[in-house]
Amino acid sequence: MKAVKKAAAVILTGIIAGTASIPAMAAETANTKEEVIYITADAAGTVGNVYAVNSFGKGNVVDYGDYSEIKMLTSNDEVEQQNDRITFSNEAEKVYYQGTLNHAQSPWNIRIRYYLDGQEYDAEDLAGKSGSLRIWFQIEQNEGCSGDFYDSYALQAAFTLDTGRCTGIKAEDAT
């Protein structure tokens, strides 16, 4: 089922406001910082990249984060990175930049399992098959991750299914 390949692009979003992050650091600016962490996972739930999307209002911004790469998302403003220090100036009411975190660890352990007509399959073995697909999705606290992310922050998990190929989609206890 090609829909499972698309479902493999699971995106997890931990909404983190203020100065808390995984392990981005507080900004030195009068602007209010908002931060959202995006975690991509493969079809089995193994964490891939972890991104921080930070937003600020108008003015000069000095922010901190352990990023391998940064890019502006909503403007052409020039952004500078020196080690973990990020600086830029902007005139927009709100500007967003993204940083790819170097050494982030997910506060959640994610497991995804696939069943077709009651038999368990690896995601890559489902392509081309048809039948009644059940996707079992489990999120548990990662005890190895420090901080109070698991208890204190919101988590959103999203699957993308091809509705031209998948019908009768149900998600118990979800929207």
Side-chain angles (χ1 to χ4, degrees):
M1 225 178 224
K2 290 186 181 185
V4 174
K5 292 286 186 183
K6 289 186 180 185
V10 175
I11 299 176
L12 303 173
T13 309
I15 300 172
I16 302 172
T19 59
S21 63
I22 310 176
M25 296 167 245
E28 288 180 15
T29 179
N31 287 322
T32 300
K33 175 180 179 175
E34 294 177 8
E35 183 173 70
V36 178
I37 303 297
Y38 294 90
I39 300 171
T40 59
D42 67 12
T46 303
V47 172
N49 288 320
V50 180
Y51 306 96
V53 174
N54 302 295
S55 67
F56 293 92
K58 186 185 298 187
N60 296 322
V61 174
V62 178
D63 194 21
Y64 294 90
D66 184 20
Y67 303 126
S68 61
E69 178 184 6
I70 56 169
K71 64 181 174 182
M72 293 301 277
L73 298 176
T74 58
S75 77
N76 291 324
D77 294 326
E78 204 170 301
V79 60
E80 292 186 30
Q81 179 180 15
Q82 293 179 327
N83 298 317
D84 65 350
R85 188 173 193 254
I86 293 90
T87 57
F88 59 91
S89 182
N90 76 89
E91 295 300 317
E93 290 302 314
K94 194 158 219 170
V95 66
Y96 295 83
Y97 84 89
Q98 174 181 299
T100 304
L101 289 160
N102 274 322
H103 306 289
Q105 184 177 24
S106 172
W108 303 281
N109 290 324
I110 305 154
R111 290 181 46 202
I112 306 171
R113 295 165 69 180
Y114 303 88
Y115 298 88
L116 187 64
D117 295 327
Q119 182 178 345
E120 186 171 0
Y121 286 87
D122 289 332
E124 57 274 2
D125 296 332
L126 288 170
K129 292 185 176 15
S130 63
S132 177
L133 176 66
R134 181 176 152 242
I135 302 172
W136 181 81
F137 184 66
Q138 180 180 18
I139 299 173
E140 296 177 327
Q141 182 174 0
N142 178 356
E143 298 288 342
C145 186
S146 62
D148 61 354
F149 294 101
Y150 186 83
D151 291 325
S152 301
Y153 299 102
L155 171 71
Q156 174 183 331
F159 286 90
T160 303
L161 299 173
D162 183 344
T163 55
R165 296 173 188 255
C166 299
T167 60
I169 299 169
K170 296 177 188 173
E172 294 177 19
D173 299 324
T175 57

